[in-house]
Amino acid sequence: MRDLEDFNDTNLQPGLSVDCVLFGFDNNELKILLLKLKSIEKWALPGGFVNVDKDVNAEAHAVLKNRIGLENVFLKQFYLFGNLERNLNTHTPELIKNGIISTKRIAFFKQRFITVGYYALVEYSKVKETTVDFISEACEWHSIHNLPKMIIDHKEIILKAHQTLKKELNTEPIGLNLLPKQFTMPELQALYETVLEKKLDRRNFSRKMLNYNILKDTNKRRMGVKHKAPILYEFDMENYNQAIKNGFNSIW
Amino acid sequence: MRDLEDFNDTNLQPGLSVDCVLFGFDNNELKILLLKLKSIEKWALPGGFVNVDKDVNAEAHAVLKNRIGLENVFLKQFYLFGNLERNLNTHTPELIKNGIISTKRIAFFKQRFITVGYYALVEYSKVKETTVDFISEACEWHSIHNLPKMIIDHKEIILKAHQTLKKELNTEPIGLNLLPKQFTMPELQALYETVLEKKLDRRNFSRKMLNYNILKDTNKRRMGVKHKAPILYEFDMENYNQAIKNGFNSIW
């Protein structure tokens, strides 16, 4: 959402919004970036409206830039949330009552809304401190297992994004943006275990991962750990991007 | 789209449509069901608008029922097409000129439109003869490799649906609705080869497919073929549905 002064609802695609689920990985926890709205005790995904003269996907990027100052994120569209029910739980009346939405804009906000869901994997440290827009008062990471009270169907949108991410782990690599540039095999495995919410066998994981050919041995080792110092890896970007594009798991 | 008399654009979600890519399998060809529009020399996916009081997914089903008389299809939402560019190629001016769209409805049709893409795998023979609605003059299957001239971005929507289907073959079974109830392993393999557009190794295919545990040996054989008569299989519906739900290829 642009600044209040820029907000011209005649220029917006009626009844359409975009919402972004940003996944971060911190301390072996999967976290989601949320905005606390002013004047109501609920949190929201970074989302916004779509200019009638702009591509919907481009507007999802614009929302991240305008609302939380985040650029160059690899956003993936994953679902259109179009149930009528989502409009029953709207927080619009509260926003109107509290003067956050001007009375001139009530008609726009009272429309039936559908929203396009996007997700992205982002570097936790990169968005630790972000700018906050005029309708929010805080921007914070929350553990996916301990989400605060959220507006409309935003909790459901997060769960669907997580489901999609889990499914995509079978066909595509992840790790880029979620791990530091150099990482050990146990660190990569911990990321997978966190996203998949299950323990994996150490040998199997390592064997499969090395077979996919997306890791480069840096010839360095993580120091300061007990026992044998583990190898530090980096992603081989060419092979990684190839695997993202074609899937590393073409079983047929 | 309902009958012309029912068409009340004040009751429709502005600027939103749904379009359905129906895949059929006939004679070792992947085919798509298309409607020929009246008065213009272009074909279209079965699509329509969304009532402001209805769930978007439910309206995709309603469109298939109302436009081509097709019910109980397993529709999968796969992408929202929201590029601005798609509106540059609209056929609306032609429809207006030819009197297919009444002048009362011009404002509705001239909006910027986005469309939600769905796909389904349907039994070829079931939709051989379908009813046709008031804006179409024919409903026919076309080979995906020989599509006629199509409206707006409908060709692109079909290609994206095909891409999605190919990708999903790595995690989910297909065959139900595309093959007769009983089928041989070579027939199942021919379906996979057609969808994937590549030849597969016979032994590997058979071994993997049997491992997935979704086939039931019927203890019958296909007669009237040369050499050894091949076994007839059916899908084990419980395991098949399980695999659709959880994916049969959880590699981690």
Side-chain angles (χ1 to χ4, degrees):
Chain A
M1 211 172 296
R2 274 86 179 166
D3 197 275
L4 198 55
E5 296 310 304
D6 292 346
F7 188 79
N8 176 2
D9 57 30
T10 60
N11 214 23
L12 296 175
Q13 182 79 9
L16 180 70
S17 63
V18 292
D19 282 297
C20 304
V21 180
L22 301 183
F23 289 103
F25 183 61
D26 171 54
N27 228 340
N28 285 349
E29 265 198 306
L30 196 60
K31 293 187 171 172
I32 312 287
L33 195 70
L34 300 179
L35 292 169
K36 166 72 178 61
L37 296 181
K38 275 183 193 159
S39 96
I40 58 173
E41 288 312 307
K42 285 179 186 171
W43 294 72
L45 292 169
F49 304 116
V50 173
N51 196 298
V52 81
D53 300 319
K54 298 275 171 66
D55 291 349
V56 178
N57 291 348
E59 287 291 81
H61 285 100
V63 157
L64 289 187
K65 190 178 169 198
N66 295 327
R67 291 204 67 177
I68 56 175
L70 193 62
E71 289 187 78
N72 301 319
V73 167
F74 183 66
L75 275 176
K76 254 183 150 167
Q77 199 203 94
F78 71 96
Y79 198 70
L80 176 99
F81 295 83
N83 275 0
L84 201 59
E85 210 183 23
R86 65 190 306 274
N87 290 271
L88 301 177
N89 305 314
T90 172
H91 51 297
T92 301
E94 260 179 289
L95 291 180
I96 293 168
K97 201 183 76 191
N98 296 330
I100 305 290
I101 296 177
S102 118
T103 49
K104 279 194 293 183
R105 280 152 194 136
I106 290 179
F108 179 80
F109 279 91
K110 281 202 165 166
Q111 293 174 95
R112 177 260 181 100
F113 269 90
I114 60 172
T115 198
V116 193
Y118 292 83
Y119 77 83
L121 311 176
V122 298
E123 225 174 293
Y124 179 76
S125 59
K126 246 194 190 159
V127 277
K128 247 182 181 162
E129 287 167 50
T130 54
T131 58
V132 155
D133 65 344
F134 70 97
I135 68 158
S136 316
E137 59 183 25
C139 175
E140 287 173 13
W141 289 103
H142 290 260
S143 162
I144 197 165
H145 293 298
N146 191 18
L147 294 170
K149 205 167 179 191
M150 301 193 64
I151 61 166
I152 346 175
D153 56 355
H154 285 201
K155 204 167 268 186
E156 191 190 313
I157 294 174
I158 292 171
L159 296 181
K160 180 99 179 170
H162 188 199
Q163 241 176 45
T164 309
L165 185 61
K166 280 188 193 178
K167 224 176 165 180
E168 295 206 339
L169 278 199
N170 280 320
T171 52
E172 288 175 21
I174 67 162
L176 196 67
N177 297 329
L178 292 182
L179 291 173
K181 192 171 156 51
Q182 301 193 337
F183 50 84
T184 65
M185 193 62 84
E187 286 161 1
L188 185 58
Q189 183 173 339
L191 168 64
Y192 273 72
E193 290 181 337
T194 300
V195 174
L196 294 169
E197 300 175 295
K198 65 177 181 190
K199 286 278 163 209
L200 301 172
D201 179 73
R202 191 178 57 81
R203 277 164 202 273
N204 262 338
F205 181 82
S206 172
R207 183 178 50 78
K208 281 184 186 166
M209 200 42 95
L210 291 171
N211 272 345
Y212 288 136
N213 229 0
I214 55 168
L215 297 181
K216 254 187 350 201
D217 188 334
T218 63
N219 294 314
K220 288 186 274 184
R221 285 170 184 276
R222 171 81 74 222
M223 292 311 173
V225 292
K226 282 179 202 168
H227 313 299
K228 199 182 155 204
I231 297 168
L232 280 168
Y233 293 99
E234 279 178 18
F235 287 115
D236 177 316
M237 284 317 300
E238 201 176 314
N239 291 352
Y240 189 97
N241 286 329
Q242 197 68 23
I244 287 279
K245 210 175 138 225
N246 303 329
F248 54 33
N249 187 41
S250 181
I251 59 171
W252 298 111
Chain B
M1 209 172 299
R2 274 87 180 166
D3 198 275
L4 199 54
E5 296 310 304
D6 292 345
F7 188 78
N8 175 3
D9 55 33
T10 61
N11 212 24
L12 297 176
Q13 181 78 8
L16 181 70
S17 63
V18 292
D19 282 297
C20 304
V21 180
L22 301 182
F23 289 103
F25 183 62
D26 170 54
N27 226 339
N28 285 350
E29 266 198 305
L30 195 61
K31 292 187 173 174
I32 313 288
L33 195 69
L34 300 179
L35 291 170
K36 166 71 178 60
L37 295 181
K38 275 182 193 160
S39 94
I40 58 173
E41 288 312 308
K42 285 180 184 167
W43 294 72
L45 292 169
F49 303 116
V50 172
N51 197 298
V52 82
D53 300 319
K54 298 273 171 68
D55 291 348
V56 178
N57 291 348
E59 287 291 80
H61 285 99
V63 157
L64 289 186
K65 189 176 172 202
N66 294 327
R67 290 203 69 176
I68 57 174
L70 194 62
E71 288 187 79
N72 300 320
V73 168
F74 183 64
L75 275 176
K76 256 183 149 166
Q77 200 203 94
F78 70 97
Y79 198 70
L80 176 98
F81 295 83
N83 275 359
L84 201 59
E85 208 184 25
R86 65 190 305 272
N87 291 270
L88 301 176
N89 305 315
T90 170
H91 51 296
T92 301
E94 260 179 290
L95 291 180
I96 293 168
K97 201 184 78 190
N98 296 331
I100 305 292
I101 297 177
S102 117
T103 49
K104 279 194 292 183
R105 278 146 198 142
I106 291 179
F108 179 79
F109 279 92
K110 280 201 166 167
Q111 292 176 96
R112 178 258 181 102
F113 268 90
I114 60 172
T115 198
V116 193
Y118 291 84
Y119 76 83
L121 311 176
V122 297
E123 223 172 295
Y124 179 78
S125 59
K126 244 194 192 160
V127 276
K128 245 182 183 162
E129 287 167 49
T130 54
T131 56
V132 157
D133 65 343
F134 70 98
I135 69 157
S136 317
E137 59 184 24
C139 176
E140 287 173 14
W141 288 101
H142 290 260
S143 162
I144 197 165
H145 293 297
N146 191 19
L147 295 170
K149 205 167 178 189
M150 299 192 67
I151 61 165
I152 348 173
D153 56 354
H154 284 201
K155 204 168 269 185
E156 191 190 313
I157 294 174
I158 292 171
L159 296 181
K160 180 99 180 171
H162 188 199
Q163 244 175 43
T164 308
L165 184 61
K166 278 187 193 180
K167 225 175 164 182
E168 294 205 340
L169 279 199
N170 281 318
T171 51
E172 289 174 21
I174 67 162
L176 196 68
N177 295 330
L178 293 181
L179 291 172
K181 191 170 159 51
Q182 303 193 336
F183 50 85
T184 66
M185 192 63 85
E187 285 162 0
L188 184 59
Q189 182 173 338
L191 168 65
Y192 272 73
E193 291 181 336
T194 300
V195 174
L196 293 169
E197 299 175 294
K198 66 177 181 191
K199 285 278 161 205
L200 301 173
D201 179 74
R202 191 178 57 80
R203 277 166 203 272
N204 263 336
F205 180 82
S206 171
R207 182 179 50 78
K208 282 184 186 165
M209 200 42 95
L210 292 171
N211 272 345
Y212 288 135
N213 230 0
I214 55 169
L215 297 182
K216 255 188 347 203
D217 188 333
T218 63
N219 294 315
K220 287 186 274 183
R221 287 170 181 275
R222 170 81 76 223
M223 294 308 175
V225 292
K226 280 179 201 167
H227 312 299
K228 199 182 155 204
I231 296 168
L232 280 169
Y233 292 98
E234 279 179 16
F235 287 115
D236 177 316
M237 283 318 299
E238 200 175 316
N239 291 352
Y240 189 97
N241 286 330
Q242 196 68 20
I244 286 279
K245 208 172 141 230
N246 302 329
F248 54 34
N249 186 41
S250 182
I251 62 171
W252 299 112

Short mmCIF file of all heavy atoms in Angstrom, two decimals, chain B residues 47-90:
data_model
loop_
_atom_site.label_atom_id
_atom_site.label_comp_id
_atom_site.label_asym_id
_atom_site.label_seq_id
_atom_site.Cartn_x
_atom_site.Cartn_y
_atom_site.Cartn_z
N GLY B 47 -14.38 -20.83 -20.20
CA GLY B 47 -14.12 -19.90 -19.11
C GLY B 47 -15.33 -19.07 -18.85
O GLY B 47 -16.35 -19.19 -19.54
N GLY B 48 -15.24 -18.22 -17.85
CA GLY B 48 -16.38 -17.37 -17.54
C GLY B 48 -16.08 -16.43 -16.39
O GLY B 48 -14.92 -16.30 -15.98
N PHE B 49 -17.13 -15.83 -15.87
CA PHE B 49 -16.94 -14.83 -14.82
C PHE B 49 -17.33 -15.39 -13.46
O PHE B 49 -17.82 -16.51 -13.35
CB PHE B 49 -17.75 -13.58 -15.17
CG PHE B 49 -17.36 -13.03 -16.52
CD1 PHE B 49 -18.27 -12.98 -17.58
CD2 PHE B 49 -16.07 -12.60 -16.74
CE1 PHE B 49 -17.89 -12.50 -18.82
CE2 PHE B 49 -15.67 -12.12 -17.99
CZ PHE B 49 -16.59 -12.07 -19.03
N VAL B 50 -17.07 -14.60 -12.44
CA VAL B 50 -17.26 -15.06 -11.06
C VAL B 50 -18.30 -14.19 -10.37
O VAL B 50 -18.15 -12.98 -10.30
CB VAL B 50 -15.92 -14.97 -10.29
CG1 VAL B 50 -16.10 -15.24 -8.81
CG2 VAL B 50 -14.89 -15.91 -10.91
N ASN B 51 -19.33 -14.84 -9.90
CA ASN B 51 -20.34 -14.12 -9.14
C ASN B 51 -19.71 -13.57 -7.86
O ASN B 51 -18.93 -14.24 -7.20
CB ASN B 51 -21.47 -15.09 -8.80
CG ASN B 51 -22.71 -14.36 -8.38
OD1 ASN B 51 -22.69 -13.64 -7.39
ND2 ASN B 51 -23.78 -14.50 -9.15
N VAL B 52 -20.09 -12.35 -7.53
CA VAL B 52 -19.50 -11.68 -6.38
C VAL B 52 -19.89 -12.38 -5.07
O VAL B 52 -19.24 -12.21 -4.04
CB VAL B 52 -19.90 -10.18 -6.42
CG1 VAL B 52 -21.29 -9.95 -5.86
CG2 VAL B 52 -18.86 -9.30 -5.76
N ASP B 53 -20.91 -13.22 -5.13
CA ASP B 53 -21.36 -13.94 -3.93
C ASP B 53 -20.93 -15.40 -3.92
O ASP B 53 -21.48 -16.21 -3.17
CB ASP B 53 -22.90 -13.92 -3.85
CG ASP B 53 -23.43 -12.51 -3.77
OD1 ASP B 53 -22.82 -11.70 -3.05
OD2 ASP B 53 -24.44 -12.22 -4.44
N LYS B 54 -19.98 -15.77 -4.78
CA LYS B 54 -19.60 -17.18 -4.85
C LYS B 54 -18.09 -17.37 -4.70
O LYS B 54 -17.31 -16.50 -5.06
CB LYS B 54 -20.01 -17.76 -6.23
CG LYS B 54 -21.50 -17.73 -6.51
CD LYS B 54 -22.19 -18.97 -5.96
CE LYS B 54 -23.70 -18.85 -6.03
NZ LYS B 54 -24.20 -18.87 -7.41
N ASP B 55 -17.70 -18.54 -4.20
CA ASP B 55 -16.28 -18.90 -4.13
C ASP B 55 -15.72 -19.00 -5.56
O ASP B 55 -16.39 -19.53 -6.46
CB ASP B 55 -16.10 -20.27 -3.47
CG ASP B 55 -16.45 -20.24 -1.99
OD1 ASP B 55 -16.62 -19.13 -1.43
OD2 ASP B 55 -16.54 -21.33 -1.41
N VAL B 56 -14.50 -18.54 -5.73
CA VAL B 56 -13.90 -18.57 -7.08
C VAL B 56 -13.79 -20.01 -7.59
O VAL B 56 -14.16 -20.31 -8.73
CB VAL B 56 -12.52 -17.87 -7.08
CG1 VAL B 56 -11.89 -17.95 -8.47
CG2 VAL B 56 -12.66 -16.40 -6.67
N ASN B 57 -13.30 -20.92 -6.74
CA ASN B 57 -13.15 -22.31 -7.19
C ASN B 57 -14.50 -22.93 -7.59
O ASN B 57 -14.59 -23.68 -8.56
CB ASN B 57 -12.51 -23.18 -6.09
CG ASN B 57 -11.05 -22.82 -5.86
OD1 ASN B 57 -10.44 -22.09 -6.65
ND2 ASN B 57 -10.47 -23.32 -4.77
N ALA B 58 -15.55 -22.60 -6.83
CA ALA B 58 -16.87 -23.14 -7.15
C ALA B 58 -17.35 -22.60 -8.50
O ALA B 58 -18.02 -23.31 -9.27
CB ALA B 58 -17.86 -22.78 -6.05
N GLU B 59 -16.99 -21.37 -8.81
CA GLU B 59 -17.42 -20.77 -10.08
C GLU B 59 -16.72 -21.44 -11.27
O GLU B 59 -17.28 -21.47 -12.37
CB GLU B 59 -17.16 -19.27 -10.08
CG GLU B 59 -18.13 -18.49 -9.18
CD GLU B 59 -19.56 -18.47 -9.71
OE1 GLU B 59 -20.26 -19.48 -9.52
OE2 GLU B 59 -19.96 -17.47 -10.31
N ALA B 60 -15.51 -21.94 -11.06
CA ALA B 60 -14.85 -22.66 -12.16
C ALA B 60 -15.66 -23.91 -12.50
O ALA B 60 -15.86 -24.24 -13.68
CB ALA B 60 -13.42 -23.02 -11.76
N HIS B 61 -16.15 -24.60 -11.47
CA HIS B 61 -17.02 -25.76 -11.72
C HIS B 61 -18.32 -25.35 -12.40
O HIS B 61 -18.80 -26.02 -13.30
CB HIS B 61 -17.32 -26.50 -10.41
CG HIS B 61 -16.16 -27.30 -9.92
ND1 HIS B 61 -15.32 -26.86 -8.93
CD2 HIS B 61 -15.67 -28.51 -10.30
CE1 HIS B 61 -14.37 -27.77 -8.72
NE2 HIS B 61 -14.56 -28.77 -9.53
N ALA B 62 -18.88 -24.24 -11.95
CA ALA B 62 -20.15 -23.76 -12.52
C ALA B 62 -19.97 -23.44 -14.01
O ALA B 62 -20.87 -23.72 -14.82
CB ALA B 62 -20.63 -22.53 -11.76
N VAL B 63 -18.83 -22.87 -14.35
CA VAL B 63 -18.55 -22.53 -15.74
C VAL B 63 -18.58 -23.79 -16.62
O VAL B 63 -19.19 -23.80 -17.69
CB VAL B 63 -17.16 -21.85 -15.85
CG1 VAL B 63 -16.57 -21.99 -17.25
CG2 VAL B 63 -17.26 -20.37 -15.46
N LEU B 64 -17.95 -24.86 -16.14
CA LEU B 64 -17.93 -26.10 -16.94
C LEU B 64 -19.34 -26.67 -17.09
O LEU B 64 -19.70 -27.18 -18.15
CB LEU B 64 -17.02 -27.14 -16.29
CG LEU B 64 -15.53 -26.85 -16.35
CD1 LEU B 64 -14.75 -28.04 -15.81
CD2 LEU B 64 -15.09 -26.54 -17.79
N LYS B 65 -20.11 -26.55 -16.04
CA LYS B 65 -21.47 -27.07 -16.11
C LYS B 65 -22.31 -26.23 -17.07
O LYS B 65 -23.00 -26.75 -17.94
CB LYS B 65 -22.09 -27.06 -14.71
CG LYS B 65 -23.42 -27.77 -14.68
CD LYS B 65 -24.01 -27.87 -13.31
CE LYS B 65 -25.43 -28.42 -13.46
NZ LYS B 65 -26.26 -28.09 -12.32
N ASN B 66 -22.21 -24.92 -16.92
CA ASN B 66 -23.08 -24.04 -17.71
C ASN B 66 -22.66 -23.93 -19.17
O ASN B 66 -23.50 -23.79 -20.04
CB ASN B 66 -23.10 -22.64 -17.08
CG ASN B 66 -23.76 -22.66 -15.72
OD1 ASN B 66 -24.68 -23.45 -15.48
ND2 ASN B 66 -23.30 -21.81 -14.82
N ARG B 67 -21.36 -23.97 -19.40
CA ARG B 67 -20.93 -23.77 -20.79
C ARG B 67 -20.89 -25.06 -21.60
O ARG B 67 -21.18 -25.04 -22.79
CB ARG B 67 -19.55 -23.09 -20.82
CG ARG B 67 -19.64 -21.64 -20.35
CD ARG B 67 -18.52 -20.81 -20.88
NE ARG B 67 -18.58 -20.59 -22.31
CZ ARG B 67 -17.74 -19.82 -22.97
NH1 ARG B 67 -16.76 -19.21 -22.33
NH2 ARG B 67 -17.86 -19.67 -24.26
N ILE B 68 -20.47 -26.17 -20.97
CA ILE B 68 -20.35 -27.39 -21.78
C ILE B 68 -21.02 -28.61 -21.12
O ILE B 68 -20.83 -29.74 -21.57
CB ILE B 68 -18.87 -27.70 -22.12
CG1 ILE B 68 -18.04 -27.82 -20.85
CG2 ILE B 68 -18.28 -26.63 -23.03
CD1 ILE B 68 -16.61 -28.25 -21.10
N GLY B 69 -21.80 -28.36 -20.08
CA GLY B 69 -22.58 -29.44 -19.48
C GLY B 69 -21.75 -30.50 -18.78
O GLY B 69 -22.17 -31.64 -18.63
N LEU B 70 -20.56 -30.12 -18.32
CA LEU B 70 -19.68 -31.10 -17.70
C LEU B 70 -19.70 -30.94 -16.17
O LEU B 70 -19.51 -29.85 -15.65
CB LEU B 70 -18.25 -30.85 -18.23
CG LEU B 70 -17.21 -31.93 -17.98
CD1 LEU B 70 -17.61 -33.24 -18.65
CD2 LEU B 70 -15.86 -31.46 -18.49
N GLU B 71 -19.91 -32.08 -15.47
CA GLU B 71 -19.96 -32.02 -14.00
C GLU B 71 -18.97 -32.98 -13.37
O GLU B 71 -18.45 -33.88 -14.02
CB GLU B 71 -21.39 -32.37 -13.54
CG GLU B 71 -22.38 -31.26 -13.84
CD GLU B 71 -23.74 -31.54 -13.21
OE1 GLU B 71 -23.89 -31.31 -12.00
OE2 GLU B 71 -24.64 -31.98 -13.95
N ASN B 72 -18.74 -32.78 -12.07
CA ASN B 72 -17.90 -33.68 -11.28
C ASN B 72 -16.49 -33.87 -11.84
O ASN B 72 -16.01 -34.99 -12.00
CB ASN B 72 -18.56 -35.06 -11.14
CG ASN B 72 -19.91 -34.95 -10.47
OD1 ASN B 72 -20.07 -34.16 -9.53
ND2 ASN B 72 -20.87 -35.69 -10.98
N VAL B 73 -15.87 -32.78 -12.16
CA VAL B 73 -14.50 -32.82 -12.65
C VAL B 73 -13.58 -32.40 -11.51
O VAL B 73 -13.91 -31.53 -10.73
CB VAL B 73 -14.36 -31.86 -13.86
CG1 VAL B 73 -12.91 -31.65 -14.22
CG2 VAL B 73 -15.14 -32.41 -15.04
N PHE B 74 -12.42 -33.06 -11.40
CA PHE B 74 -11.45 -32.68 -10.37
C PHE B 74 -10.58 -31.54 -10.90
O PHE B 74 -9.56 -31.76 -11.55
CB PHE B 74 -10.61 -33.89 -9.98
CG PHE B 74 -9.63 -33.61 -8.86
CD1 PHE B 74 -10.09 -33.27 -7.59
CD2 PHE B 74 -8.26 -33.64 -9.08
CE1 PHE B 74 -9.19 -33.00 -6.56
CE2 PHE B 74 -7.36 -33.37 -8.06
CZ PHE B 74 -7.83 -33.04 -6.79
N LEU B 75 -11.01 -30.30 -10.66
CA LEU B 75 -10.31 -29.12 -11.17
C LEU B 75 -9.21 -28.71 -10.22
O LEU B 75 -9.40 -28.65 -9.01
CB LEU B 75 -11.28 -27.96 -11.30
CG LEU B 75 -12.12 -27.85 -12.57
CD1 LEU B 75 -13.07 -26.68 -12.44
CD2 LEU B 75 -11.24 -27.67 -13.81
N LYS B 76 -8.07 -28.38 -10.77
CA LYS B 76 -6.95 -27.91 -9.96
C LYS B 76 -6.57 -26.49 -10.37
O LYS B 76 -6.28 -26.25 -11.55
CB LYS B 76 -5.74 -28.81 -10.20
CG LYS B 76 -5.50 -29.75 -9.07
CD LYS B 76 -4.25 -30.55 -9.34
CE LYS B 76 -3.54 -30.90 -8.06
NZ LYS B 76 -2.53 -31.93 -8.24
N GLN B 77 -6.59 -25.61 -9.41
CA GLN B 77 -6.15 -24.23 -9.68
C GLN B 77 -4.64 -24.24 -9.86
O GLN B 77 -3.94 -24.85 -9.05
CB GLN B 77 -6.51 -23.40 -8.45
CG GLN B 77 -6.57 -21.92 -8.70
CD GLN B 77 -6.36 -21.12 -7.42
OE1 GLN B 77 -5.26 -20.70 -7.12
NE2 GLN B 77 -7.43 -20.91 -6.68
N PHE B 78 -4.11 -23.62 -10.91
CA PHE B 78 -2.65 -23.68 -11.07
C PHE B 78 -1.94 -22.34 -11.22
O PHE B 78 -0.75 -22.25 -10.96
CB PHE B 78 -2.25 -24.63 -12.20
CG PHE B 78 -2.57 -24.14 -13.59
CD1 PHE B 78 -1.61 -23.50 -14.35
CD2 PHE B 78 -3.84 -24.30 -14.12
CE1 PHE B 78 -1.90 -23.03 -15.63
CE2 PHE B 78 -4.15 -23.84 -15.39
CZ PHE B 78 -3.18 -23.21 -16.14
N TYR B 79 -2.63 -21.28 -11.62
CA TYR B 79 -1.92 -19.99 -11.76
C TYR B 79 -2.90 -18.87 -11.99
O TYR B 79 -3.94 -19.06 -12.60
CB TYR B 79 -0.95 -20.06 -12.96
CG TYR B 79 0.13 -18.99 -12.95
CD1 TYR B 79 1.15 -19.03 -12.01
CD2 TYR B 79 0.11 -17.93 -13.86
CE1 TYR B 79 2.13 -18.06 -11.98
CE2 TYR B 79 1.11 -16.96 -13.83
CZ TYR B 79 2.11 -17.03 -12.89
OH TYR B 79 3.08 -16.07 -12.86
N LEU B 80 -2.55 -17.70 -11.46
CA LEU B 80 -3.31 -16.50 -11.79
C LEU B 80 -2.57 -15.74 -12.89
O LEU B 80 -1.41 -15.35 -12.71
CB LEU B 80 -3.47 -15.57 -10.59
CG LEU B 80 -4.17 -14.27 -10.99
CD1 LEU B 80 -5.64 -14.31 -10.67
CD2 LEU B 80 -3.50 -13.06 -10.41
N PHE B 81 -3.24 -15.53 -14.00
CA PHE B 81 -2.64 -14.80 -15.11
C PHE B 81 -3.02 -13.33 -14.96
O PHE B 81 -4.17 -12.95 -15.17
CB PHE B 81 -3.12 -15.38 -16.45
CG PHE B 81 -2.64 -16.79 -16.65
CD1 PHE B 81 -3.33 -17.87 -16.10
CD2 PHE B 81 -1.46 -17.05 -17.33
CE1 PHE B 81 -2.87 -19.17 -16.24
CE2 PHE B 81 -0.99 -18.35 -17.48
CZ PHE B 81 -1.69 -19.41 -16.93
N GLY B 82 -2.03 -12.53 -14.59
CA GLY B 82 -2.32 -11.15 -14.23
C GLY B 82 -1.49 -10.12 -14.97
O GLY B 82 -1.39 -8.98 -14.52
N ASN B 83 -0.88 -10.55 -16.07
CA ASN B 83 -0.11 -9.57 -16.85
C ASN B 83 -1.03 -8.58 -17.53
O ASN B 83 -2.10 -8.94 -18.02
CB ASN B 83 0.74 -10.27 -17.92
CG ASN B 83 2.05 -10.73 -17.35
OD1 ASN B 83 2.32 -10.49 -16.17
ND2 ASN B 83 2.85 -11.37 -18.16
N LEU B 84 -0.57 -7.35 -17.58
CA LEU B 84 -1.34 -6.29 -18.20
C LEU B 84 -1.49 -6.56 -19.70
O LEU B 84 -2.53 -6.31 -20.30
CB LEU B 84 -0.59 -4.97 -17.98
CG LEU B 84 -1.43 -3.73 -18.10
CD1 LEU B 84 -2.55 -3.74 -17.09
CD2 LEU B 84 -0.55 -2.51 -17.89
N GLU B 85 -0.42 -7.09 -20.25
CA GLU B 85 -0.32 -7.33 -21.69
C GLU B 85 -1.50 -8.15 -22.24
O GLU B 85 -1.92 -7.93 -23.37
CB GLU B 85 0.98 -8.09 -21.93
CG GLU B 85 1.60 -7.88 -23.26
CD GLU B 85 2.83 -8.77 -23.41
OE1 GLU B 85 2.91 -9.82 -22.72
OE2 GLU B 85 3.70 -8.42 -24.20
N ARG B 86 -2.00 -9.08 -21.43
CA ARG B 86 -3.07 -9.94 -21.93
C ARG B 86 -4.30 -9.13 -22.36
O ARG B 86 -5.08 -9.56 -23.19
CB ARG B 86 -3.43 -11.02 -20.92
CG ARG B 86 -4.01 -10.53 -19.61
CD ARG B 86 -4.09 -11.67 -18.60
NE ARG B 86 -4.82 -12.81 -19.14
CZ ARG B 86 -6.15 -12.95 -19.05
NH1 ARG B 86 -6.88 -12.07 -18.45
NH2 ARG B 86 -6.74 -13.99 -19.59
N ASN B 87 -4.45 -7.94 -21.78
CA ASN B 87 -5.61 -7.12 -22.11
C ASN B 87 -5.46 -6.35 -23.42
O ASN B 87 -6.42 -5.78 -23.92
CB ASN B 87 -5.90 -6.15 -20.96
CG ASN B 87 -6.41 -6.90 -19.73
OD1 ASN B 87 -7.60 -7.09 -19.58
ND2 ASN B 87 -5.51 -7.37 -18.89
N LEU B 88 -4.23 -6.35 -23.93
CA LEU B 88 -4.02 -5.64 -25.20
C LEU B 88 -4.58 -6.43 -26.36
O LEU B 88 -4.91 -5.88 -27.41
CB LEU B 88 -2.52 -5.40 -25.42
CG LEU B 88 -1.82 -4.59 -24.33
CD1 LEU B 88 -0.32 -4.50 -24.61
CD2 LEU B 88 -2.44 -3.20 -24.22
N ASN B 89 -4.66 -7.73 -26.20
CA ASN B 89 -5.09 -8.60 -27.30
C ASN B 89 -6.55 -9.02 -27.19
O ASN B 89 -6.96 -10.01 -27.74
CB ASN B 89 -4.23 -9.86 -27.32
CG ASN B 89 -2.77 -9.53 -27.41
OD1 ASN B 89 -2.37 -8.68 -28.20
ND2 ASN B 89 -1.98 -10.20 -26.58
N THR B 90 -7.31 -8.25 -26.45
CA THR B 90 -8.68 -8.69 -26.22
C THR B 90 -9.50 -8.69 -27.51
O THR B 90 -9.29 -7.88 -28.41
CB THR B 90 -9.36 -7.80 -25.16
OG1 THR B 90 -10.74 -8.12 -25.14
CG2 THR B 90 -9.19 -6.33 -25.47
#
